[in-house]
Amino acid sequence: MNACSPAEHAVTFHRPARAPEGEWSTDAVAALFELPFSDLIFRAQEVHRKHFDPNAIQRSTLLSIKTGGCSEDCSYCSQSKRYRTGLTETPLMALEDVLEMARAARDKGATRFCMGAAWRSPKERDLEPVLEMVREVKKLGIETCVTLGMLKDGQAERLREAGLDYYNHNLDTAREFYGEIVTTHTLDDRLETIEKVRRQGIKVCAGGIVGLGENRRARAVLIAQLASLTPPPESVPINGLVPIAGTPLEAVPTLDPLEFVRTIAVARITMPTSFVRLSAGRQQMSDEVQALCYLAGANSIFAGDRLLTTDNPASDRDAALFARLGLRTI
Ligand code: SAM
Ligand code: DTB
Ligand code: SF4
């Protein structure tokens, strides 16, 4: 065979091995990050096409049901009361207002409605109204997700009884880097809440943020940890830092967009059956980078003009891009 034949090239793809125990070791994940870009995207496409329709995107809509005034010091967050971000704190929303937003999200095609509260952990008096929101939103025929911070014993059980579908609780960043970003709780606290949620049979939505100033190794550690949860989260949001004036990370150098795409591809390969959500940061991203993210295996987005406190692409921008790419929404 000619040394330059396509067949010969085909066998030169780098294929990092999985760790023998069946989990993704950090080294194996780091090796994926090091692949030539085309090989990485090819691997991600192979995995994606085995498990999903590559042209179908799930949409969730977010609503901040309680904004700002959070005790925690997550250094990316507009809602921490430790930073002067100019955000107006608002109390827990009334049920009727939440339902109006949920109906609107459903009517625009979202299949999941995610309610976020800026709490370290929900107080008992806060949980009951949230349970009511979950019960009532479900009656609209749409999936429910909440993100309320760390759960105390018994709280996950009550959320399950209310019919909650997903609980969002991100690992956010690598263990080695976590203390640089948050000091008021630990990664193990986060893992404990995920475990409580899982024990109740509630589906887990857990991912992280990139562009915090972490290095590639830290991104590999984060993805390896997510992929090693047993089972991996059903939903994996990958957030690109949205820099917030007044937070310690307001001026952190922007991550190379192709590195963001790589992170999506690595999440896809290591968590083949999970929905990988291209989450925060889409508003700041070009359509072309978003297209690469879908090519790399992202198959879920947040739809709607707002995330929690920052802007998200308007639905007509999403619709125009999806039409250009031949993507359909599910
Ligand atoms: N307080 C709860 C918690 O920390 O889990 C729920 C809300 S918190 C805002 C949800 C997630 O949003 C965080 O875990 C983080 O991944 C993401 N997030 C917050 N601020 C962000 C920012 N400025 N840019 C990108 N993602 C952000
Ligand atoms: C997730 O991983 N990203 C969402 C949702 N889960 C709760 C939140 C993104 C927040 C982006 C910054 C803001 O709007 O405040
Ligand atoms: Fe509070 Fe969540 Fe923001 Fe951290 S990320 S400051 S816990 S709202």
Side-chain angles (χ1 to χ4, degrees), residues 62 64 66 70 72 74-79 115-121 146-150 167-173 178 185 190 207-210 212 237-244 247 249 279-281 302 307-310:
L62 263 177
S64 182
K66 185 269 169 188
C70 185
E72 304 304 279
C74 312
S75 45
Y76 45 79
C77 189
S78 61
Q79 304 199 68
M115 296 168 271
W119 290 319
R120 169 183 166 83
S121 178
V146 295
T147 181
L148 313 172
M150 293 180 282
Y167 194 85
N168 165 250
H169 205 60
N170 291 337
L171 297 187
D172 285 322
T173 196
Y178 204 87
H185 56 258
R190 305 286 289 183
I209 318 186
V210 296
L212 303 172
I238 304 294
N239 296 278
L241 175 71
V242 179
I244 308 284
T247 63
L249 297 184
S279 299
F302 285 120
L307 292 168
L308 291 175
T309 69
T310 64

Side-chain angles (χ1 to χ4, degrees), residues 29 113 134 151 155 159 181 190 240 242 276-277 289 297-298 317:
V29 176
F113 191 65
V134 170
L151 295 178
Q155 293 185 324
L159 286 164
I181 300 297
R190 305 286 289 183
V242 179
V276 174
R277 184 172 309 116
V289 171
R317 179 179 163 199

Side-chain angles (χ1 to χ4, degrees), residues 249-277:
L249 297 184
E250 65 179 346
V252 76
T254 308
L255 184 70
D256 172 3
L258 293 182
E259 186 67 14
F260 186 88
V261 177
R262 280 182 182 273
T263 309
I264 297 272
V266 172
R268 165 52 62 227
I269 294 164
T270 56
M271 293 173 270
T273 60
S274 305
F275 276 83
V276 174
R277 184 172 309 116

Side-chain angles (χ1 to χ4, degrees), residues 194-241:
I194 290 173
E195 188 48 41
K196 285 178 177 155
V197 166
R198 187 123 283 153
R199 273 204 296 269
Q200 293 304 321
I202 298 168
K203 286 182 249 186
V204 170
C205 172
I209 318 186
V210 296
L212 303 172
E214 78 286 345
N215 59 21
R216 183 177 266 185
R217 182 80 188 173
R219 288 186 282 279
V221 170
L222 168 69
I223 300 288
Q225 176 126 43
L226 289 167
S228 300
L229 295 176
T230 41
E234 283 79 5
S235 168
V236 181
I238 304 294
N239 296 278
L241 175 71

